[in-house]
């Protein structure tokens, strides 16, 4: 590994930044991305939800739900249609389609995916239960016997039951406590089974689904939706990343120690000036060495786009990040992104306050180059050695008119306690309620800060959270 205190890459030089004035930072990015795109997508989702039940509505004559059996069967059909729709939306959200990543952002998509996953699981289980009870009632069988008959007599239902079983497995491994206990790669591999659910659950909708059985516009529309989602998946996961990586051909240029447990990885490539990247966004990086190629991990860029190099700053927390310290210059890199709405372009006010904890400084450091002058940064760190990118931040303080407070110590020390109190925060940043506030750091600090900001009257829409969890 090459050790530099701070290599002045801004001017393209590989020497230390020993007083030589670096190139001026880029102009601030315009605030142009409000919540309108997200609202539109939420509206489209709700329209789709209603539309997914229409086939049942159109197919069911008024007054036909005369007894409990008919009502239960109808509930089974409705939950089946809803489950089919929700499954498509779930897969679409994981397609990494650039427009979704740009408008909603990878972190928020992951949160929506988590929340909707629970609804999907409930819909699938309800569909199975209602259908077994409903059809069992029609034929005078118990739900268990009905399940046996269906499995024996309807070929596509075997795969449908397998799909439901897989979905339960995915759901169980997504429970927070279970997920934490599993190695990330095992959890991720189980989660990829979601694609198999799409495949296994496909056929029974058309061979056994009352509303989709007959050829016609409803059936054709449903198949087209499946086709579009698969196309989005192929584009977002395969064609898009292939195009970006062939165009930019990224390689490791250098690995620089920032602290005993943190390194910055500099990457070069071709046509980097054409990369539409904002400070605060992240890529999923795959370093193509023998030990690392099979995993991709998310890291934010820790410097704004400059057309010549990219940089990520990585804290060693486990085996993979440990291996990154030993990357050699020249290693090829496969990157998927950029993703995320934690950027200066998503602000709603003119001025910003940034609150960082530990390695949470990385996206904020990049964003500082793109915020208008007058931003303020509170940087919490446990010890002086945990303060990263110190010299660059001081340089930005001058070049960009950023006010910076380094608040060092444990959360119970008098200094940090004072700063992270309503009076302390108002004293440092009197106009805090009229600023966008960007938070990034350990979950405890982010949650404490979020509560504090709400208490002192910062509106929810002005609070932006960058999480290191997907
Ligand atoms: C949007 C985003 C941006 C991030 N930016 C930075 C950054 O700029 N600098 C930095 O130091 N860290 C960043 N992280 C965190 C970084 O991704 C993890 O610390 C790293 O993946 C841990 O890998 P590990 O195998 O060394 O550690 P492990 O001990 O295996 O993992 C520690 C934790 O990291 C998460 N994690 C592990 N592997 C993955 C994976 N493949 N994909 C997603 N999460 C995973 C899991 O929550 C896990 O519990 C970011 C995370 C996210 C989600």
């Amino acid at each position: 590994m090459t050790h530099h205190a701070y290599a002045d890459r801004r001017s393209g030089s590989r020497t230390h930044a020993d007083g030589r004035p670096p190139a001026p930072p880029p102009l601030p990015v315009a605030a142009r991305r409000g919540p309108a795109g997200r609202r539109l997508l939420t509206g489209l989702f709700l329209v789709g939800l209603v539309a997914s039940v229409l086939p049942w509505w159109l197919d069911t004559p008024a007054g036909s739900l005369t007894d409990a059996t008919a009502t239960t069967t109808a509930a089974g059909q409705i939950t089946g249609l809803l489950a089919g729709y929700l499954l498509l939306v779930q897969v679409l959200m994981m397609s990494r389609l650039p427009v979704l990543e740009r408008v909603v952002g990878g972190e928020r998509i992951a949160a929506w995916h988590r929340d909707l996953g629970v609804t999907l699981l409930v819909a699938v289980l309800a569909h199975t239960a209602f259908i077994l009870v409903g059809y069992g009632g029609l034929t005078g069988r118990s739900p268990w016997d009905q399940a046996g008959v269906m499995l024996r007599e309807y070929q596509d239902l075997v795969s449908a039951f397998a799909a439901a079983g897989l979905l339960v497995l995915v759901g169980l491994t997504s429970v927070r406590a279970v997920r934490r206990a599993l190695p990330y790669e095992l959890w991720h591999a189980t989660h990829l089974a979601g694609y198999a659910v799409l495949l296994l659950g496909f056929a029974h909708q058309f061979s056994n689904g009352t509303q989709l059985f007959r050829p016609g516009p409803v059936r054709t529309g449903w198949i087209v939706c499946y086709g579009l989602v698969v196309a989005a998946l192929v584009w977002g996961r395969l064609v898009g990343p292939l195009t970006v990586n062939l165009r930019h051909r990224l390689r490791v240029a250098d690995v620089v120690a920032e602290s005993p447990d943190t390194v910055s990885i500099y990457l070069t490539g071709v046509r980097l000036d054409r990369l539409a990247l904002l400070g605060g966004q992240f890529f999923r990086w795959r370093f193509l060495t023998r030990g690392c190629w099979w995993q991709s991990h998310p890291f934010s860029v820790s410097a704004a786009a400059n057309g010549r190099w990219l940089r990520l700053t990585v804290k060693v927390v486990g085996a993979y990040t440990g291996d990154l310290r030993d990357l050699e210059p020249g290693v090829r890199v496969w990157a998927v992104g950029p993703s995320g709405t934690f950027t200066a372009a998503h602000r709603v006010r003119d001025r910003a306050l940034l609150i960082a904890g530990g390695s949470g400084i990385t996206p904020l450091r990049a964003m500082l180059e793109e915020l208008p002058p007058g931003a303020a940064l509170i940087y919490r760190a446990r010890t002086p050695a945990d303060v990263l990118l110190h010299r660059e931040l001081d340089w930005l303080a001058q070049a960009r008119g950023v006010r910076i407070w380094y608040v060092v110590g444990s959360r119970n020390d008098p200094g940090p306690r004072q700063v992270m109190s309503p009076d302390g925060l108002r004293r440092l940043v009197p106009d805090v309620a009229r600023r966008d506030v960007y938070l990034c750091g350990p979950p405890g600090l982010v949650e404490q800060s979020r509560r504090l900001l709400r208490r002192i009257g910062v509106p929810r829409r002005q609070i932006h959270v960058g999480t290191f969890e997907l």
Side-chain angles (χ1 to χ4, degrees):
M1 187 197 336
T2 325
H3 292 268
H4 298 273
Y6 160 50
D8 176 17
R9 300 299 182 108
R10 302 212 57 77
S11 56
S13 149
R14 295 171 64 94
T15 58
H16 290 251
D18 45 5
R20 198 158 27 83
L27 292 174
V29 297
R32 58 178 186 274
R33 301 198 178 139
R38 281 204 306 276
R39 289 207 186 114
L40 177 70
L41 286 176
T42 310
L44 283 176
F45 166 73
L46 293 175
V47 170
L49 197 67
V50 173
S52 70
V53 188
L54 276 185
W56 174 84
W57 180 263
L58 297 174
D59 195 47
T60 310
S64 60
L65 302 182
T66 47
D67 57 18
T69 304
T71 310
T72 311
T73 310
Q77 291 167 350
I78 292 172
T79 46
L81 290 166
L82 286 174
Y85 172 69
L86 292 178
L87 180 61
L88 282 184
V89 174
Q90 283 289 75
V91 176
L92 181 65
M93 282 202 282
M94 287 296 103
S95 66
R96 301 205 180 137
L97 205 59
V99 64
L100 289 180
E101 301 272 323
R102 235 181 1 254
V103 174
V104 186
E107 312 94 319
R108 196 178 266 110
I109 290 179
W112 285 3
H113 181 76
R114 250 192 323 269
D115 295 345
L116 206 61
V118 179
T119 320
L120 170 61
L121 189 56
V122 171
V124 167
L125 293 178
H127 168 60
T128 314
F130 282 134
I131 288 292
L132 292 180
V133 174
Y135 282 99
L138 280 177
T139 52
R141 295 192 187 98
S142 74
W144 290 116
D145 288 344
Q146 184 61 34
V149 170
M150 285 179 151
L151 281 171
R152 276 194 305 276
E153 293 183 6
Y154 301 93
Q155 202 187 356
D156 291 336
L157 283 181
V158 177
S159 55
F161 272 97
L166 261 181
L167 203 64
V168 170
L169 182 70
V170 172
L172 284 178
T173 54
S174 299
V175 173
R176 206 168 274 265
V178 180
R179 182 179 169 173
R180 289 239 162 90
L182 291 177
Y184 180 87
E185 285 70 34
L186 181 59
W187 170 82
H188 190 241
T190 318
H191 216 70
L192 288 181
Y195 298 123
V197 174
L198 190 71
L199 208 68
L200 292 170
F202 180 77
H204 91 286
Q205 302 175 84
F206 303 100
S207 49
N208 310 111
T210 313
Q211 285 77 34
L212 302 175
F213 181 69
R214 285 183 301 277
V218 170
R219 181 184 161 108
T220 308
W222 205 259
I223 293 175
V224 167
C225 288
Y226 263 80
L228 288 176
V229 167
V230 171
L233 206 58
V234 172
W235 185 268
R237 294 265 177 174
L238 218 63
V239 180
L242 200 64
T243 314
V244 168
N245 283 282
L246 286 179
R247 185 189 299 145
H248 297 299
R249 279 174 262 153
L250 296 172
R251 281 178 188 273
V252 173
D254 207 352
V255 179
V256 175
E258 301 287 359
S259 79
D261 64 358
T262 307
V263 291
S264 280
I265 302 169
Y266 287 84
L267 308 174
T268 51
V270 292
R271 289 182 241 167
L272 291 186
D273 52 330
R274 302 237 192 112
L275 198 58
L277 167 68
L278 291 170
Q281 289 189 304
F282 69 93
F283 288 83
R284 292 171 175 90
W285 307 94
R286 199 180 284 275
F287 294 91
L288 304 183
T289 63
R290 190 156 0 134
C292 294
W293 68 268
W294 59 282
Q295 291 184 46
S296 86
H297 286 242
F299 296 105
S300 315
V301 288
S302 63
N306 58 38
R308 298 193 304 280
W309 46 265
L310 298 175
R311 185 183 70 180
L312 46 152
T313 299
V314 177
K315 184 176 165 82
V316 175
V317 294
Y320 184 85
T321 39
D323 287 348
L324 297 186
R325 285 186 294 200
D326 301 324
L327 286 174
E328 294 290 339
V331 164
R332 282 183 186 278
V333 184
W334 179 267
V336 178
S339 179
T341 53
F342 188 65
T343 76
H346 291 82
R347 68 185 185 275
V348 293
R349 309 294 296 230
D350 291 335
R351 293 194 160 201
L353 165 66
L354 285 60
I355 302 180
S359 58
I361 190 65
T362 50
L364 299 179
R365 149 70 186 86
M367 203 188 294
L368 274 177
E369 290 184 69
E370 295 176 344
L371 282 165
L377 166 68
I378 296 174
Y379 187 3
R380 283 280 293 112
R382 208 179 287 272
T383 67
D386 294 326
V387 174
L388 302 174
L389 309 171
H390 194 299
R391 296 184 63 171
E392 298 180 32
L393 291 171
D394 289 346
W395 162 67
L396 279 164
Q398 279 194 352
R400 264 286 194 253
V402 181
R403 281 183 301 150
I404 302 182
W405 295 273
Y406 297 99
V407 184
V408 179
S410 96
R411 64 192 305 186
N412 293 321
D413 289 350
R417 274 181 59 179
Q418 170 63 20
V419 170
M420 300 309 284
S421 69
D423 284 347
L425 197 54
R426 273 201 218 96
R427 206 165 301 140
L428 286 189
V429 190
D431 62 346
V432 57
R434 295 194 301 279
R435 288 177 180 250
D436 281 276
V437 187
Y438 291 86
L439 305 172
C440 192
L445 175 75
V446 167
E447 207 30 57
Q448 181 201 8
S449 309
R450 199 207 304 250
R451 265 187 267 123
L452 173 60
L453 293 164
R454 294 293 294 137
R455 254 174 73 197
I456 59 179
V458 180
R460 225 182 281 274
R461 67 191 195 107
Q462 282 168 231
I463 303 175
H464 312 263
V465 177
T467 64
F468 278 1
E469 247 181 32
L470 286 180

